[in-house]
Amino acid sequence: DGPAVSAEVSGDTVIIRWDSVTGTPEGFPNRAITIVGYQVLVDPFQVTLPATNNEVTLPREFVQSLASGDHPFEVLAIEAGGNQTITEGSFATH
């Protein structure tokens, strides 16, 4: 199942958060999964984190380089077998 995502913006600070992926999507076979990491993409910034992480704070310098407006981001959940799910969100800068 894809991670539920959110973003918090406060001045030059952007924190992207997600819920841990613990199961398969509705309608798929119910089987155990092991998430080994999450990848966060805010073009061109990207970072891969271990499965124990559920948030990332974007570097201040990167946030300052963004134009005002909406910015999409993606969070990928990476399963031990190589499968991935992705959820998109967005945040706005001023």
Side-chain angles (χ1 to χ4, degrees):
D1 202 5
V5 300
S6 64
E8 176 185 330
V9 179
S10 178
D12 292 340
T13 302
V14 176
I15 302 171
I16 296 174
R17 294 186 174 95
W18 57 92
D19 294 337
S20 295
V21 173
T22 59
T24 57
E26 189 174 319
F28 280 70
N30 189 11
R31 59 182 168 169
I33 62 167
T34 303
I35 300 298
V36 295
Y38 294 96
Q39 187 175 34
V40 180
L41 300 106
V42 184
D43 195 31
F45 175 83
Q46 59 181 302
V47 62
T48 302
L49 302 164
T52 53
N53 289 72
N54 290 94
E55 72 176 40
V56 65
T57 302
L58 299 180
R60 183 175 180 218
E61 296 81 5
F62 176 71
V63 175
Q64 290 173 340
S65 75
L66 298 172
S68 294
D70 290 333
H71 303 281
F73 67 87
E74 300 170 332
V75 178
L76 288 81
I78 305 165
E79 204 267 335
N83 290 326
Q84 300 179 20
T85 60
I86 188 168
T87 303
E88 186 176 278
S90 66
F91 61 89
T93 58
H94 303 286

